[in-house]
Amino acid sequence: MVLNRKLGIIDLGKNRVLVREIPVELRKKHLGGRGLNWYYLYNSIRPDVDPYSPENVLAIGAGLLTGFPALGAGRTQISTKNPMTGGVGDSNMGGAFGPQLRLAGFDHLLIVGRAEKPSYILVRDGGIEIRSAEHLWGLDTHTAQKVLREETGDDRAESMVIGRAGENLVSFANVMNGIKNAGGRSGTGAVMGSKNLKAIVASGDIDLVVHDPEKLLDYALEVDRRARNTKWAKTLGRLGTPLLYDVSYTTGFIGTLNWQYNTPGEDGKPLEAENLEKYSVKMVACIGCSVHCRHRVKIREGRYRGVVTEGPEYAAIGAFGTGVGVYDWEFVIKCNEMANKWGIDLISLGTTVAWAFELFQRGYITENDTGGLRLEWGDENAVLELAKMIVERKNVGNVLADGMLKASEKFGKDSLYYANQTKGHPNLLTDERGIPSFALGIATSTRGADHLRSRPGIDLFQLPEETLERIYGHRIVSDFTAYETKGIMVWWHELLYNVVDSLGICKFQTVFNSANSPRFEDYVPLIEFAAGIRMTKEDLMEIGERNYTIERMFNVLNGFSRKDDYPPERYFREETKRGLPFMKGRKLDREKYDMMLEEYYRQHGWDENGVPKRETLERLGISEPDYSILEVL
């Protein structure tokens, strides 16, 4: 049965494993994946726990629909206390690990303690064991996965592993599955490294029995066809996410030279999506996805000849292209490959490198800090060398590896002004100054600056207000440069993306960049046919609200409040210098931003300081954390 997958609790320090049922009542309140992960972490991580201490908990979760044949349902959620922010740390990963975890008999793992020596966890056919990983330590993420498959004797085994960045506790290290499926953002790989945990391997053949297979298959095909036939999905399947670059650089909302500019202009033309096609061997996909949005690429000649990898995505174009002034697809492909092998979040890496370049430009960092390396815009060698310094924690890289907040203490307090971050978490290379809803989304994201927690991509389309009201259930102003009603828009997307992450399906196949993609009500039949649980659209929205409020409460208990819900100060002071007329000369208006923020708080039922009100917590059934889950160990 879908609902009979177990919770595995693993103490690496005590070398002890417990297996527990997951009550159906918890499913009805939180679904699975991200929702259940945060229910468990809220009730197990005390505010005084250091992210790198053995007491920090790492949660791995498959969504309620992970492994099903629709909507890119191959997702896995990795959650923990974030070493960069001290608050919510949360990653969503594609690929095939989550489906294999379910076939191995488990939906969620809670990992605590620190192994005495490098170790990995093998989850296989209902059992869990801890094995030595001393022979794997030091291997890149690709090689480690290959060795693990050989070692387990199962060529279908799926692993999530860390690379050198995680081993060296780089605060924005990630976990990897396959060539490029990244549990990026939030430093989950660094937390694995702090536990001496190199990998988790899932292998199994336990059937996943569904409630009504015939209806599930019919409906899954129908809803999948609907998602696949949107213009967004069709274009995504041909060009991949780089298609977003063509819009952002021609319009003027992509950070350039560390947000000193908002587009590279004509200089950025070589990075257009169509120019990636000559390197593309084919399009590939995660399990359960019919869109196939990912390029597999090969460089056949030149300086980087022989590189074979997957991607790069839109984020990589900003990280290793516009952000540092390099407009060469082959360099972006090479950096993308290296980041994945190192096991490091390429968004955070690129944004941190771009920040360091501007600090060098302004004299905060000198050649004495870099070992003689000059950080000049557009210098490919300087970008790669600084990235290596961060991964290996050498010279100034050792400072940058601890994240922007800690690094700014070394460089001088004023240096933080040039860091594009919120809550200490680096932002994607998008410039949100001209799009208030996007700015609010990155600022209020529970894991710090991020586009995947609430970004209302369809805001840019300026759809008719009657269409927006039909989608959101509220009046929404069509103009994307407006502030009014955008707090409601961001709230709605927070709930939607939380439900999507808790079900284990792909955000690109919901209302992100297409108004015609599936949304809350379309998931109701899937849940009933798969798990036999009847819900309504309103039930799902309440679950999204509950789950998101738990994350908010986790941050509140760790010292976050309204002061942490603002985008970078630069967005309020400096106007954009380039772009189309409606995007040039834009900066955020602080008074209007405050009004938008307060509208957002009201919609959530939070007070003026961003703290959930007592009546909100009671309505959602959220109690004080009891910290009792791990006491059984």
Side-chain angles (χ1 to χ4, degrees):
M1 295 290 291
V2 169
L3 299 179
N4 68 358
R5 268 34 191 179
K6 303 291 194 295
L7 165 69
I9 306 175
I10 302 142
D11 189 325
L12 293 168
K14 296 178 181 175
N15 199 32
R16 189 174 182 200
V17 174
L18 291 176
V19 176
R20 291 287 185 267
E21 301 288 338
I22 301 174
V24 174
E25 287 308 308
L26 280 184
R27 297 285 198 178
K28 292 179 178 177
K29 287 183 176 179
H30 306 284
L31 297 176
R34 177 176 162 188
L36 263 183
N37 272 6
W38 279 101
Y39 165 79
Y40 290 127
L41 294 184
Y42 176 69
N43 287 293
S44 59
I45 303 177
R46 297 178 185 276
D48 60 351
V49 167
D50 184 277
Y52 291 143
S53 73
E55 288 74 29
N56 193 14
V57 184
L58 184 73
I60 314 296
L64 187 64
L65 299 178
T66 291
F68 286 92
L71 304 179
R75 313 297 297 187
T76 308
Q77 201 78 20
I78 305 106
S79 314
T80 190
K81 191 168 187 177
N82 190 329
M84 277 183 287
T85 71
V88 165
D90 201 51
S91 300
N92 184 268
M93 180 174 73
F97 180 84
Q100 268 300 322
L101 183 66
R102 302 198 88 183
L103 292 175
F106 291 85
D107 267 359
H108 289 267
L109 304 175
L110 295 179
I111 303 163
V112 68
R114 177 183 292 138
E116 187 176 340
K117 296 179 179 178
S119 302
Y120 76 89
I121 294 169
L122 175 62
V123 186
R124 179 151 62 184
D125 292 329
I128 298 174
E129 60 181 294
I130 302 169
R131 292 183 169 188
S132 171
E134 290 184 86
H135 58 302
L136 301 171
W137 209 253
L139 296 183
D140 68 61
T141 61
H142 294 177
T143 306
Q145 290 179 77
K146 183 180 177 183
V147 172
L148 284 165
R149 274 197 172 163
E150 293 171 354
E151 195 165 301
T152 56
D154 181 358
D155 61 7
R156 295 182 305 151
E158 294 289 340
S159 306
M160 47 176 281
V161 304
I162 62 170
R164 288 291 294 160
E167 293 171 5
N168 289 331
L169 305 190
V170 175
S171 63
F172 37 97
N174 63 12
V175 300
M176 294 293 303
N177 164 251
I179 295 175
K180 78 163 286 290
N181 305 306
R185 325 293 351 250
S186 299
T188 52
V191 173
M192 276 184 66
S194 74
K195 295 184 177 304
N196 265 333
L197 181 60
K198 178 69 177 181
I200 305 169
V201 185
S203 167
D205 290 305
I206 303 174
D207 284 344
L208 202 60
V209 180
V210 302
H211 175 70
D212 192 330
E214 289 189 12
K215 287 184 178 177
L216 176 67
L217 185 58
D218 288 345
Y219 184 74
L221 289 173
E222 176 190 330
V223 74
D224 195 68
R225 184 165 47 247
R226 177 178 152 195
R228 191 175 64 249
N229 285 338
T230 61
K231 290 181 180 177
W232 157 250
K234 288 179 179 177
T235 311
L236 193 63
R238 185 170 73 84
L239 297 174
T241 57
L243 73 92
L244 298 168
Y245 171 76
D246 293 16
V247 178
S248 60
Y249 104 91
T250 53
T251 307
F253 58 91
I254 187 163
T256 302
L257 307 188
N258 195 44
W259 286 270
Q260 294 183 86
Y261 302 95
N262 53 310
T263 172
E266 284 297 306
D267 288 347
K269 196 172 181 60
L271 290 175
E272 288 183 349
E274 289 79 2
N275 294 329
L276 178 61
E277 291 192 73
K278 72 176 183 180
Y279 303 103
S280 184
V281 178
K282 61 179 179 179
M283 300 300 285
V284 295
C286 301
I287 277 186
C289 178
S290 58
V291 174
H292 291 67
C293 72
R294 180 185 307 168
H295 289 280
R296 180 163 292 169
V297 294
K298 181 176 183 178
I299 299 177
R300 293 178 172 83
E301 56 188 22
R303 182 181 176 188
Y304 305 118
R305 181 174 181 268
V307 172
V308 178
T309 188
E310 291 181 359
E313 306 295 343
Y314 168 65
I317 303 174
F320 305 116
T322 65
V324 290
V326 179
Y327 308 108
D328 178 353
W329 261 123
E330 294 188 4
F331 180 68
V332 174
I333 292 170
K334 176 62 179 176
C335 289
N336 183 73
E337 180 212 31
M338 295 306 298
N340 289 338
K341 285 185 172 180
W342 288 328
I344 193 166
D345 176 45
L346 61 82
I347 294 176
S348 300
L349 177 62
T351 301
T352 301
V353 167
W355 177 51
F357 270 53
E358 185 168 358
L359 294 186
F360 187 88
Q361 171 190 322
R362 297 181 183 279
Y364 290 88
I365 294 175
T366 70
E367 290 174 70
N368 291 332
D369 302 307
T370 62
L373 183 69
R374 292 188 60 78
L375 305 182
E376 304 283 2
W377 299 111
D379 185 335
E380 295 181 15
N381 181 61
V383 174
L384 263 178
E385 286 303 312
L386 182 59
K388 289 177 187 174
M389 285 184 198
I390 293 171
V391 171
E392 296 298 338
R393 282 189 169 274
K394 292 182 178 176
N395 299 322
V396 73
N398 188 42
V399 179
L400 295 167
D402 286 331
M404 289 173 155
L405 291 183
K406 289 184 179 176
S408 68
E409 295 172 3
K410 301 283 178 64
F411 301 142
K413 190 177 178 181
D414 292 347
S415 66
L416 197 59
Y417 174 80
Y418 304 103
N420 196 302
Q421 55 79 34
T422 66
K423 302 179 180 69
H425 198 253
N427 193 19
L428 172 80
L429 262 290
T430 303
D431 192 320
E432 293 86 0
R433 275 174 282 195
I435 315 167
S437 64
F438 284 21
L440 180 66
I442 64 159
T444 55
S445 159
T446 50
R447 68 179 178 187
D450 195 74
H451 60 297
L452 294 174
R453 308 297 264 193
S454 64
R455 176 154 292 181
I458 64 170
D459 196 17
L460 292 175
F461 302 159
Q462 306 203 116
L463 296 169
E465 291 195 2
E466 55 268 29
T467 301
L468 293 174
E469 185 163 356
R470 192 163 58 246
I471 294 171
Y472 293 105
H474 294 265
R475 174 181 165 266
I476 301 292
V477 175
S478 179
D479 180 4
F480 72 79
T481 66
Y483 293 74
E484 182 189 3
T485 70
K486 303 303 179 178
I488 298 172
M489 200 176 209
V490 168
W491 162 82
W492 189 90
H493 280 273
E494 282 179 348
L495 271 53
L496 179 69
Y497 296 169
N498 193 295
V499 167
V500 163
D501 286 344
S502 300
L503 291 174
I505 59 185
C506 179
K507 287 189 185 71
F508 283 162
Q509 298 188 47
T510 189
V511 182
F512 192 128
N513 286 317
S514 170
N516 296 316
S517 292
R519 46 185 184 265
F520 294 106
E521 54 266 40
D522 299 299
Y523 306 135
V524 170
L526 280 176
I527 294 169
E528 180 178 350
F529 300 150
I533 299 175
R534 290 191 175 185
M535 291 185 173
T536 64
K537 168 190 170 184
E538 290 72 25
D539 292 333
L540 286 180
M541 292 188 73
E542 184 174 281
I543 289 171
E545 183 82 68
R546 180 181 298 113
N547 289 344
Y548 206 86
T549 303
I550 284 178
E551 292 179 19
R552 182 75 183 190
M553 281 302 299
F554 184 88
N555 276 347
V556 168
L557 292 171
N558 281 278
F560 291 85
S561 65
R562 178 175 183 141
K563 69 182 186 313
D564 304 295
D565 289 337
Y566 287 83
E569 184 64 19
R570 189 174 215 165
Y571 280 13
F572 292 100
R573 295 190 190 177
E574 297 182 22
E575 292 183 347
T576 53
K577 300 181 177 70
R578 296 172 175 170
L580 296 179
F582 59 83
M583 199 58 80
K584 188 176 179 181
R586 304 278 304 175
K587 64 177 180 178
L588 291 175
D589 181 302
R590 193 179 300 277
E591 185 177 344
K592 291 179 179 177
Y593 181 87
D594 275 329
M595 290 174 62
M596 180 172 62
L597 181 61
E598 285 159 12
E599 177 185 65
Y600 164 84
Y601 286 163
R602 282 196 302 275
Q603 196 64 26
H604 267 298
W606 301 347
D607 68 17
E608 67 279 1
N609 203 30
V611 178
K613 295 178 180 178
R614 179 181 296 277
E615 56 263 35
T616 301
L617 297 176
E618 289 176 353
R619 175 173 59 84
L620 297 172
I622 300 172
S623 307
E624 294 287 324
D626 63 16
Y627 304 119
S628 65
I629 289 176
L630 299 180
E631 290 178 1
V632 293
L633 288 167

